Amino acid sequence: GEKKRTLSEHEILINESIKDWHKLNEKQKIDYYSKNNSNALNFFIFHKDKLFFKTIIEPLIICKFSKNFIDYFLLQDKNSLSYFLNPGLYQNLTFIEKILIAKLFPEVASNIANHLSDLNSTSQTINATRSRMIFETALVSAESARTLFVEDPQQNYKRREANRGKERERDRERDRNYKSR
């Protein structure tokens, strides 16, 4: 028979329910969310369904005992996110997290864009303004967001699985550092 596998959190975005999210009633959305809760789904809903996010997801994130970077971003908690501007924590942020923090802190956005450009200059030359525009578009476009998260999931599945453990450990370390303040 056909072998079934569990969807990774990024692959959730290719699910038919996500493509038709706007057609679901509130009960269907809640049912889907309760089965597929993830940072990626929270991020998608934050950008595509503000009312559902505000009424259902935001209270759940607020009540979380241990919040991660994405939780603070989704809550737009600039006070907590400002700790990630500390060089010791900033260096552990992913490329996407650095872009997100730049969105909330325009006063450091050009420094972050320059830093990201420098990081990539060893492998390729990029235009920081163009890169920022691409990511801004990806953050507000459902199609772009879906492409960003699931581009060729079969080829990248093993790499993501290997990195997932490292990311979890890095998140736990950041949370420990944040809580120790």
Short mmCIF file of all heavy atoms in Angstrom, two decimals, residues 14-56:
data_model
loop_
_atom_site.label_atom_id
_atom_site.label_comp_id
_atom_site.label_asym_id
_atom_site.label_seq_id
_atom_site.Cartn_x
_atom_site.Cartn_y
_atom_site.Cartn_z
N ILE A 14 0.91 23.49 2.29
CA ILE A 14 0.44 23.01 0.99
C ILE A 14 -0.91 22.31 1.11
O ILE A 14 -1.51 21.97 0.12
CB ILE A 14 1.47 22.08 0.31
CG1 ILE A 14 1.70 20.81 1.09
CG2 ILE A 14 2.75 22.83 0.03
CD1 ILE A 14 2.57 19.79 0.38
N ASN A 15 -1.37 22.10 2.31
CA ASN A 15 -2.64 21.43 2.54
C ASN A 15 -3.78 22.22 1.93
O ASN A 15 -3.79 23.45 1.95
CB ASN A 15 -2.83 21.26 4.06
CG ASN A 15 -4.01 20.40 4.39
OD1 ASN A 15 -5.14 20.75 4.12
ND2 ASN A 15 -3.74 19.26 5.00
N GLU A 16 -4.78 21.52 1.39
CA GLU A 16 -5.94 22.17 0.78
C GLU A 16 -6.64 23.13 1.73
O GLU A 16 -7.14 24.17 1.32
CB GLU A 16 -6.95 21.13 0.29
CG GLU A 16 -6.53 20.41 -0.97
CD GLU A 16 -6.35 21.34 -2.16
OE1 GLU A 16 -7.19 22.22 -2.37
OE2 GLU A 16 -5.33 21.19 -2.85
N SER A 17 -6.69 22.80 3.02
CA SER A 17 -7.36 23.68 3.98
C SER A 17 -6.70 25.04 4.05
O SER A 17 -7.37 26.05 4.26
CB SER A 17 -7.37 23.05 5.38
OG SER A 17 -8.12 21.86 5.36
N ILE A 18 -5.41 25.08 3.87
CA ILE A 18 -4.72 26.37 3.90
C ILE A 18 -5.05 27.17 2.65
O ILE A 18 -5.31 28.36 2.71
CB ILE A 18 -3.20 26.19 4.05
CG1 ILE A 18 -2.88 25.68 5.44
CG2 ILE A 18 -2.46 27.48 3.78
CD1 ILE A 18 -3.26 26.63 6.55
N LYS A 19 -5.02 26.50 1.50
CA LYS A 19 -5.35 27.22 0.26
C LYS A 19 -6.76 27.78 0.31
O LYS A 19 -7.03 28.82 -0.25
CB LYS A 19 -5.18 26.30 -0.95
CG LYS A 19 -3.73 25.99 -1.27
CD LYS A 19 -3.59 25.36 -2.62
CE LYS A 19 -3.46 23.87 -2.49
NZ LYS A 19 -3.31 23.19 -3.74
N ASP A 20 -7.65 27.08 1.00
CA ASP A 20 -9.04 27.51 1.09
C ASP A 20 -9.39 28.06 2.48
O ASP A 20 -10.56 28.06 2.87
CB ASP A 20 -9.97 26.33 0.76
CG ASP A 20 -9.82 25.86 -0.68
OD1 ASP A 20 -9.51 26.71 -1.54
OD2 ASP A 20 -10.00 24.66 -0.94
N TRP A 21 -8.39 28.50 3.22
CA TRP A 21 -8.61 28.98 4.58
C TRP A 21 -9.74 30.01 4.65
O TRP A 21 -10.59 29.95 5.53
CB TRP A 21 -7.32 29.58 5.14
CG TRP A 21 -7.44 30.08 6.53
CD1 TRP A 21 -7.66 31.36 6.93
CD2 TRP A 21 -7.39 29.30 7.74
NE1 TRP A 21 -7.74 31.45 8.29
CE2 TRP A 21 -7.57 30.19 8.81
CE3 TRP A 21 -7.19 27.95 7.99
CZ2 TRP A 21 -7.57 29.76 10.13
CZ3 TRP A 21 -7.19 27.53 9.32
CH2 TRP A 21 -7.37 28.43 10.37
N HIS A 22 -9.76 30.92 3.71
CA HIS A 22 -10.76 31.99 3.71
C HIS A 22 -12.17 31.46 3.51
O HIS A 22 -13.14 32.16 3.82
CB HIS A 22 -10.42 33.04 2.65
CG HIS A 22 -10.48 32.51 1.25
ND1 HIS A 22 -9.48 31.69 0.74
CD2 HIS A 22 -11.40 32.66 0.28
CE1 HIS A 22 -9.81 31.38 -0.50
NE2 HIS A 22 -10.96 31.95 -0.81
N LYS A 23 -12.32 30.23 3.03
CA LYS A 23 -13.65 29.63 2.80
C LYS A 23 -14.15 28.86 4.02
O LYS A 23 -15.32 28.48 4.07
CB LYS A 23 -13.61 28.70 1.60
CG LYS A 23 -13.29 29.39 0.29
CD LYS A 23 -13.20 28.38 -0.83
CE LYS A 23 -12.76 29.04 -2.13
NZ LYS A 23 -12.56 28.03 -3.18
N LEU A 24 -13.27 28.59 4.99
CA LEU A 24 -13.66 27.80 6.16
C LEU A 24 -14.46 28.64 7.13
O LEU A 24 -14.19 29.83 7.31
CB LEU A 24 -12.41 27.26 6.87
CG LEU A 24 -11.48 26.35 6.08
CD1 LEU A 24 -10.28 25.97 6.93
CD2 LEU A 24 -12.21 25.12 5.59
N ASN A 25 -15.44 28.01 7.79
CA ASN A 25 -16.15 28.72 8.86
C ASN A 25 -15.31 28.63 10.14
O ASN A 25 -14.29 27.93 10.17
CB ASN A 25 -17.57 28.16 9.06
CG ASN A 25 -17.59 26.72 9.55
OD1 ASN A 25 -16.77 26.30 10.36
ND2 ASN A 25 -18.54 25.95 9.04
N GLU A 26 -15.72 29.32 11.18
CA GLU A 26 -14.89 29.39 12.39
C GLU A 26 -14.66 28.02 13.01
O GLU A 26 -13.55 27.70 13.43
CB GLU A 26 -15.49 30.34 13.42
CG GLU A 26 -14.55 30.52 14.60
CD GLU A 26 -14.87 31.72 15.47
OE1 GLU A 26 -15.63 32.59 15.04
OE2 GLU A 26 -14.35 31.74 16.59
N LYS A 27 -15.69 27.16 13.06
CA LYS A 27 -15.52 25.83 13.64
C LYS A 27 -14.52 25.01 12.83
O LYS A 27 -13.66 24.33 13.40
CB LYS A 27 -16.85 25.09 13.72
CG LYS A 27 -16.67 23.70 14.36
CD LYS A 27 -17.95 22.94 14.46
CE LYS A 27 -17.81 21.57 15.08
NZ LYS A 27 -16.52 20.94 15.17
N GLN A 28 -14.58 25.08 11.50
CA GLN A 28 -13.63 24.35 10.65
C GLN A 28 -12.21 24.86 10.87
O GLN A 28 -11.26 24.08 10.91
CB GLN A 28 -14.02 24.49 9.18
CG GLN A 28 -15.30 23.76 8.81
CD GLN A 28 -15.78 24.12 7.42
OE1 GLN A 28 -15.75 25.28 7.01
NE2 GLN A 28 -16.25 23.12 6.68
N LYS A 29 -12.08 26.18 11.02
CA LYS A 29 -10.76 26.77 11.27
C LYS A 29 -10.21 26.28 12.61
O LYS A 29 -9.04 25.91 12.71
CB LYS A 29 -10.83 28.29 11.26
CG LYS A 29 -11.05 28.88 9.89
CD LYS A 29 -11.18 30.39 9.96
CE LYS A 29 -11.41 30.99 8.59
NZ LYS A 29 -11.53 32.46 8.64
N ILE A 30 -11.05 26.28 13.63
CA ILE A 30 -10.62 25.83 14.96
C ILE A 30 -10.23 24.35 14.92
O ILE A 30 -9.20 23.96 15.47
CB ILE A 30 -11.70 26.11 16.02
CG1 ILE A 30 -11.81 27.61 16.25
CG2 ILE A 30 -11.40 25.37 17.33
CD1 ILE A 30 -13.00 28.03 17.10
N ASP A 31 -11.03 23.54 14.24
CA ASP A 31 -10.71 22.11 14.12
C ASP A 31 -9.38 21.91 13.40
O ASP A 31 -8.53 21.12 13.84
CB ASP A 31 -11.81 21.36 13.36
CG ASP A 31 -13.09 21.20 14.17
OD1 ASP A 31 -13.06 21.40 15.41
OD2 ASP A 31 -14.13 20.89 13.55
N TYR A 32 -9.19 22.62 12.30
CA TYR A 32 -7.95 22.50 11.55
C TYR A 32 -6.77 22.97 12.41
O TYR A 32 -5.74 22.30 12.47
CB TYR A 32 -8.01 23.32 10.25
CG TYR A 32 -6.77 23.18 9.44
CD1 TYR A 32 -6.60 22.10 8.59
CD2 TYR A 32 -5.71 24.08 9.55
CE1 TYR A 32 -5.43 21.93 7.86
CE2 TYR A 32 -4.55 23.92 8.83
CZ TYR A 32 -4.41 22.84 7.99
OH TYR A 32 -3.25 22.67 7.30
N TYR A 33 -6.95 24.11 13.06
CA TYR A 33 -5.87 24.65 13.88
C TYR A 33 -5.50 23.70 15.02
O TYR A 33 -4.32 23.49 15.30
CB TYR A 33 -6.25 26.02 14.44
CG TYR A 33 -5.15 26.65 15.24
CD1 TYR A 33 -4.06 27.23 14.60
CD2 TYR A 33 -5.16 26.62 16.63
CE1 TYR A 33 -3.02 27.78 15.32
CE2 TYR A 33 -4.12 27.17 17.36
CZ TYR A 33 -3.06 27.75 16.70
OH TYR A 33 -2.01 28.27 17.41
N SER A 34 -6.48 23.11 15.67
CA SER A 34 -6.19 22.22 16.80
C SER A 34 -5.43 20.98 16.36
O SER A 34 -4.68 20.41 17.14
CB SER A 34 -7.49 21.83 17.53
OG SER A 34 -8.30 21.03 16.71
N LYS A 35 -5.57 20.58 15.11
CA LYS A 35 -4.86 19.40 14.60
C LYS A 35 -3.49 19.75 14.01
O LYS A 35 -2.64 18.88 13.88
CB LYS A 35 -5.70 18.71 13.53
CG LYS A 35 -6.97 18.10 14.04
CD LYS A 35 -7.81 17.55 12.91
CE LYS A 35 -9.16 17.09 13.43
NZ LYS A 35 -10.11 16.87 12.35
N ASN A 36 -3.30 21.00 13.63
CA ASN A 36 -2.09 21.36 12.87
C ASN A 36 -1.34 22.55 13.45
O ASN A 36 -0.56 23.19 12.74
CB ASN A 36 -2.48 21.68 11.42
CG ASN A 36 -3.11 20.50 10.74
OD1 ASN A 36 -2.46 19.52 10.43
ND2 ASN A 36 -4.42 20.58 10.53
N ASN A 37 -1.54 22.84 14.71
CA ASN A 37 -0.91 23.99 15.35
C ASN A 37 0.61 23.96 15.16
O ASN A 37 1.25 22.96 15.43
CB ASN A 37 -1.26 24.00 16.83
CG ASN A 37 -0.64 25.13 17.59
OD1 ASN A 37 -0.02 26.03 17.01
ND2 ASN A 37 -0.80 25.12 18.89
N SER A 38 1.15 25.06 14.66
CA SER A 38 2.60 25.19 14.50
C SER A 38 2.95 26.66 14.35
O SER A 38 2.08 27.50 14.11
CB SER A 38 3.08 24.44 13.25
OG SER A 38 2.62 25.10 12.09
N ASN A 39 4.23 26.97 14.49
CA ASN A 39 4.67 28.35 14.26
C ASN A 39 4.35 28.80 12.84
O ASN A 39 3.96 29.94 12.61
CB ASN A 39 6.17 28.50 14.52
CG ASN A 39 6.49 28.57 16.00
OD1 ASN A 39 5.66 28.92 16.82
ND2 ASN A 39 7.72 28.21 16.33
N ALA A 40 4.54 27.91 11.87
CA ALA A 40 4.29 28.26 10.47
C ALA A 40 2.82 28.57 10.25
O ALA A 40 2.47 29.55 9.57
CB ALA A 40 4.73 27.12 9.56
N LEU A 41 1.93 27.76 10.84
CA LEU A 41 0.50 28.03 10.70
C LEU A 41 0.13 29.32 11.41
O LEU A 41 -0.64 30.14 10.89
CB LEU A 41 -0.32 26.85 11.24
CG LEU A 41 -1.84 26.97 11.11
CD1 LEU A 41 -2.25 27.14 9.64
CD2 LEU A 41 -2.52 25.75 11.70
N ASN A 42 0.66 29.54 12.61
CA ASN A 42 0.40 30.79 13.33
C ASN A 42 0.84 31.99 12.50
O ASN A 42 0.14 33.00 12.41
CB ASN A 42 1.13 30.82 14.67
CG ASN A 42 0.54 29.87 15.68
OD1 ASN A 42 -0.56 29.36 15.51
ND2 ASN A 42 1.28 29.60 16.74
N PHE A 43 2.01 31.89 11.88
CA PHE A 43 2.56 32.97 11.06
C PHE A 43 1.64 33.24 9.86
O PHE A 43 1.33 34.39 9.54
CB PHE A 43 3.97 32.59 10.60
CG PHE A 43 4.69 33.68 9.89
CD1 PHE A 43 5.33 34.69 10.60
CD2 PHE A 43 4.75 33.70 8.51
CE1 PHE A 43 6.01 35.71 9.94
CE2 PHE A 43 5.43 34.71 7.84
CZ PHE A 43 6.06 35.71 8.56
N PHE A 44 1.21 32.17 9.21
CA PHE A 44 0.30 32.30 8.06
C PHE A 44 -0.98 33.01 8.48
O PHE A 44 -1.42 33.96 7.84
CB PHE A 44 0.00 30.91 7.49
CG PHE A 44 -1.03 30.92 6.40
CD1 PHE A 44 -0.66 31.19 5.09
CD2 PHE A 44 -2.36 30.65 6.68
CE1 PHE A 44 -1.61 31.20 4.07
CE2 PHE A 44 -3.31 30.67 5.68
CZ PHE A 44 -2.94 30.95 4.37
N ILE A 45 -1.60 32.55 9.56
CA ILE A 45 -2.87 33.12 10.02
C ILE A 45 -2.68 34.56 10.48
O ILE A 45 -3.54 35.41 10.23
CB ILE A 45 -3.50 32.23 11.11
CG1 ILE A 45 -3.88 30.86 10.51
CG2 ILE A 45 -4.73 32.91 11.72
CD1 ILE A 45 -4.28 29.82 11.54
N PHE A 46 -1.58 34.85 11.13
CA PHE A 46 -1.27 36.22 11.56
C PHE A 46 -1.37 37.18 10.38
O PHE A 46 -1.88 38.29 10.51
CB PHE A 46 0.13 36.25 12.17
CG PHE A 46 0.63 37.63 12.53
CD1 PHE A 46 0.24 38.23 13.71
CD2 PHE A 46 1.49 38.31 11.69
CE1 PHE A 46 0.70 39.50 14.06
CE2 PHE A 46 1.97 39.58 12.02
CZ PHE A 46 1.57 40.17 13.21
N HIS A 47 -0.90 36.75 9.22
CA HIS A 47 -0.90 37.61 8.04
C HIS A 47 -2.18 37.52 7.22
O HIS A 47 -2.50 38.47 6.50
CB HIS A 47 0.30 37.30 7.15
CG HIS A 47 1.59 37.78 7.74
ND1 HIS A 47 1.95 39.10 7.76
CD2 HIS A 47 2.57 37.12 8.38
CE1 HIS A 47 3.10 39.24 8.37
NE2 HIS A 47 3.51 38.05 8.75
N LYS A 48 -2.90 36.42 7.32
CA LYS A 48 -4.04 36.22 6.42
C LYS A 48 -5.41 36.26 7.09
O LYS A 48 -6.42 36.32 6.39
CB LYS A 48 -3.88 34.88 5.68
CG LYS A 48 -2.68 34.88 4.76
CD LYS A 48 -2.85 35.98 3.74
CE LYS A 48 -1.58 36.27 3.00
NZ LYS A 48 -1.69 37.47 2.19
N ASP A 49 -5.48 36.17 8.40
CA ASP A 49 -6.78 36.17 9.08
C ASP A 49 -6.62 36.81 10.45
O ASP A 49 -6.58 36.14 11.48
CB ASP A 49 -7.29 34.73 9.20
CG ASP A 49 -8.74 34.62 9.65
OD1 ASP A 49 -9.29 35.63 10.16
OD2 ASP A 49 -9.32 33.53 9.51
N LYS A 50 -6.53 38.13 10.44
CA LYS A 50 -6.26 38.89 11.68
C LYS A 50 -7.30 38.63 12.76
O LYS A 50 -6.95 38.50 13.93
CB LYS A 50 -6.18 40.39 11.39
CG LYS A 50 -4.96 40.81 10.61
CD LYS A 50 -3.74 40.80 11.48
CE LYS A 50 -2.57 41.42 10.75
NZ LYS A 50 -1.33 41.24 11.44
N LEU A 51 -8.57 38.53 12.37
CA LEU A 51 -9.63 38.33 13.38
C LEU A 51 -9.46 36.98 14.07
O LEU A 51 -9.50 36.89 15.30
CB LEU A 51 -11.01 38.44 12.73
CG LEU A 51 -12.18 38.24 13.69
CD1 LEU A 51 -12.18 39.31 14.79
CD2 LEU A 51 -13.50 38.28 12.93
N PHE A 52 -9.25 35.91 13.30
CA PHE A 52 -9.05 34.59 13.89
C PHE A 52 -7.80 34.59 14.76
O PHE A 52 -7.79 34.04 15.86
CB PHE A 52 -8.94 33.52 12.79
CG PHE A 52 -8.90 32.12 13.33
CD1 PHE A 52 -10.06 31.45 13.69
CD2 PHE A 52 -7.69 31.46 13.48
CE1 PHE A 52 -10.03 30.16 14.18
CE2 PHE A 52 -7.63 30.16 13.98
CZ PHE A 52 -8.82 29.51 14.33
N PHE A 53 -6.75 35.22 14.27
CA PHE A 53 -5.52 35.29 15.05
C PHE A 53 -5.77 35.99 16.38
O PHE A 53 -5.40 35.50 17.44
CB PHE A 53 -4.41 36.00 14.28
CG PHE A 53 -3.13 36.06 15.07
CD1 PHE A 53 -2.26 35.00 15.05
CD2 PHE A 53 -2.84 37.15 15.87
CE1 PHE A 53 -1.10 35.02 15.82
CE2 PHE A 53 -1.69 37.18 16.63
CZ PHE A 53 -0.82 36.11 16.61
N LYS A 54 -6.41 37.16 16.33
CA LYS A 54 -6.64 37.95 17.55
C LYS A 54 -7.54 37.23 18.54
O LYS A 54 -7.31 37.28 19.75
CB LYS A 54 -7.27 39.31 17.19
CG LYS A 54 -6.29 40.36 16.81
CD LYS A 54 -5.51 40.77 18.01
CE LYS A 54 -4.98 42.15 17.94
NZ LYS A 54 -3.91 42.38 18.89
N THR A 55 -8.59 36.57 18.05
CA THR A 55 -9.57 35.97 18.96
C THR A 55 -9.19 34.57 19.44
O THR A 55 -9.52 34.20 20.57
CB THR A 55 -10.98 35.93 18.32
OG1 THR A 55 -10.92 35.19 17.11
CG2 THR A 55 -11.50 37.33 18.07
N ILE A 56 -8.50 33.81 18.61
CA ILE A 56 -8.22 32.41 18.96
C ILE A 56 -6.74 32.17 19.28
O ILE A 56 -6.40 31.62 20.32
CB ILE A 56 -8.66 31.45 17.82
CG1 ILE A 56 -10.14 31.63 17.47
CG2 ILE A 56 -8.33 30.00 18.17
CD1 ILE A 56 -11.11 31.31 18.60
#
